[in-house]
């Protein structure tokens, strides 16, 4: 009924097409054009339908809308018990999470690269702290995306996973994913024996932060084993009574604004500064 109501309201000019509701915002249509010599010809045009009402559409698209078929199933002579059953039956589903929906908006190359890591790599199987439900609802795919953005495209950081995946679909390369995989290969071996000790750090909230810091630490000459040792020490300090007196930990690392670009940058820079001083 809701879908039929939306169609009716659009036809009557009561609602516009929203940017989030239209997956393909540019629509081609044919228009009859009158030439200078008095003849007519058919010209293919393109319209951006976002913000348009029914009356704003070209006649050709109005006719396409009017001729669209909607399948309606009707049940006759239902008892109240059967009505309740049909309502339950039609609503017996679980909506996709934002991460699950987001990955349906990218091409096969990008989705294969993302899922190749999130579903198959030992790091995501044995090291990262993620419950079984999180592994099924697309959470690990989001972690991969945030890591790719933080490592390679920090200047274009996106808060929403859908925007991240669309950006990566357009700008990421296979070499970037391969390089991330090589980092994960090394870190998975070194960190797996201490997975329980590092579970508060390799969470779905902060894994992309630590993977980005790891990449930068390697460039500074710090070894994988040294990086894991620093993580173990940092994890222990998180549970100290005086941790709240540590301004970086209290105000930056534990910030709840985990998707803000400034927080991500400050976390990465702050941790990198600490590990460099740790081995200075």
């Amino acid at each position: 009924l809701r879908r039929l109501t939306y169609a009716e309201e659009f036809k009557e000019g009561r609602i516009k097409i929203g940017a989030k509701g239209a997956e393909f915002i540019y629509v081609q249509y044919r228009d009859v054009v009158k030439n200078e010599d008095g003849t007519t010809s058919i010209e293919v045009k393109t319209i951006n339908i976002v913000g348009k009402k029914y009356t704003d559409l070209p006649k050709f698209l109005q006719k396409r809308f009017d001729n669209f078929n909607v399948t309606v199933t009707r049940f006759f002579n239902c008892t109240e018990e059967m009505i309740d059953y049909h309502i339950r039956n039609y609503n017996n589903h679980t909506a996709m999470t934002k991460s699950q929906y987001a990955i349906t908006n990218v091409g096969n190359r990008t989705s294969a690269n993302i899922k190749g890591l999130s579903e198959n790599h030992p790091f995501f199987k044995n090291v990262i702290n993620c419950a079984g439900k999180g592994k099924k609802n697309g959470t690990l795919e989001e972690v991969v995306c945030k890591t790719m953005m933080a490592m390679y495209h920090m200047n274009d950081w996106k808060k929403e996973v859908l925007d991240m995946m669309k950006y990566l679909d357009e700008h990421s390369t296979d070499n970037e994913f391969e390089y991330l995989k090589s980092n994960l290969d090394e870190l998975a071996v070194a960190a797996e024996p201490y997975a329980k000790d590092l579970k508060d750090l390799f969470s779905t909230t902060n894994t992309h932060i630590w993977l980005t810091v790891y990449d930068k630490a390697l460039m500074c000459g710090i070894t994988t084993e040294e990086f894991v040792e620093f993580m173990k020490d940092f994890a222990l300090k998180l549970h100290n009574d005086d941790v709240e007196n540590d301004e970086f930990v209290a105000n930056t690392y534990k910030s709840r604004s985990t998707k803000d670009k400034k927080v991500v940058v400050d976390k990465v820079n702050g941790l990198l500064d600490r590990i460099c001083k740790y081995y200075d």
Side-chain angles (χ1 to χ4, degrees):
L1 179 61
R2 182 172 59 187
R3 290 170 176 81
L4 294 176
T5 301
Y6 282 152
E8 181 181 33
E9 289 180 346
F10 178 69
K11 177 66 180 292
E12 294 176 353
R14 287 186 280 162
I15 60 174
K16 300 178 181 179
I17 299 174
K20 292 186 177 180
E23 186 167 351
F24 304 102
I25 64 175
Y26 295 101
V27 179
Q28 287 188 334
Y29 66 97
R30 292 171 295 173
D31 194 16
V32 178
V33 179
K34 192 171 183 179
N35 302 317
E36 294 180 358
D37 58 3
T39 61
T40 59
S41 59
I42 301 298
E43 183 177 330
V44 177
K45 297 182 177 180
T46 302
I47 183 175
N48 183 343
I49 62 174
V50 173
K52 300 293 191 297
K53 292 184 178 181
Y54 175 84
T55 53
D56 297 325
L57 299 180
K59 294 295 182 183
F60 179 79
L61 292 183
Q62 289 181 357
K63 289 181 179 179
R64 282 183 59 181
F65 181 85
D66 294 341
N67 293 330
F68 188 80
N69 293 319
V70 178
T71 301
V72 178
T73 303
R74 301 182 68 183
F75 298 92
F76 297 95
N77 302 318
C78 290
T79 63
E80 291 187 1
E81 182 180 8
M82 289 303 297
I83 292 173
D84 292 340
Y85 163 75
H86 288 309
I87 291 175
R88 291 195 304 272
N89 188 39
Y90 275 96
N91 287 280
N92 186 25
H93 70 278
T94 302
M96 287 191 295
T97 64
K98 289 185 177 181
S99 298
Q100 289 172 328
Y101 173 75
I103 205 165
T104 67
N105 287 265
V106 302
N108 290 336
R109 179 193 67 85
T110 306
S111 61
N113 279 329
I114 294 172
K115 285 184 171 289
L117 295 176
S118 65
E119 294 182 351
N120 302 318
H121 200 281
F123 178 87
F124 290 99
K125 290 182 177 180
N126 307 322
V127 179
I128 191 172
N129 180 21
C130 181
K133 182 179 179 181
K135 294 180 179 180
K136 294 179 180 179
N137 66 13
T139 300
L140 294 185
E141 283 76 32
E142 183 174 353
V143 172
V144 173
C145 289
K146 289 192 293 186
T147 303
M148 288 287 292
M149 291 296 298
M151 283 180 59
Y152 303 113
H153 308 282
M154 183 71 87
N155 290 337
D156 297 306
W157 176 264
K158 313 293 181 185
K159 291 183 65 172
E160 298 299 327
V161 62
L162 176 59
D163 296 330
M164 284 187 186
M165 289 199 181
K166 285 184 175 180
Y167 180 91
L168 292 175
D169 193 39
E170 184 176 351
H171 297 92
S172 66
T173 66
D174 292 338
N175 288 337
E176 289 175 346
F177 279 101
E178 279 298 318
Y179 183 75
L180 172 57
K181 179 180 179 300
S182 67
N183 277 3
L184 292 173
D185 290 342
E186 297 293 329
L187 195 56
V189 174
E192 184 176 351
Y194 311 103
K196 290 184 178 180
D197 300 326
L198 305 178
K199 62 183 179 67
D200 290 338
L201 307 187
F202 280 135
S203 63
T204 55
T205 301
N206 282 318
T207 291
H208 65 291
I209 301 292
W210 285 103
L211 290 178
T212 305
V213 175
Y214 173 63
D215 179 58
K216 293 181 180 297
L218 290 177
M219 296 179 185
C220 295
I222 294 172
T223 67
T224 303
E225 290 72 22
E226 289 173 335
F227 184 80
V228 172
E229 283 299 317
F230 170 78
M231 290 191 71
K232 289 165 58 180
D233 183 69
F234 189 86
L236 288 174
K237 289 181 179 179
L238 283 181
H239 300 288
N240 289 346
D241 294 335
D242 62 344
V243 70
E244 294 303 323
N245 295 324
D246 187 321
E247 184 176 348
F248 168 75
V249 174
N251 299 328
T252 302
Y253 187 80
K254 289 187 175 183
S255 171
R256 294 185 179 182
S257 302
T258 57
K259 294 185 178 181
D260 289 343
K261 176 181 176 180
K262 183 180 184 306
V263 175
V264 174
V265 171
D266 288 347
K267 282 186 179 184
V268 170
N269 291 340
L271 288 171
L272 183 62
D273 180 66
R274 288 206 164 194
I275 193 172
C276 289
K277 291 178 179 177
Y278 191 81
Y279 287 108
D280 188 5

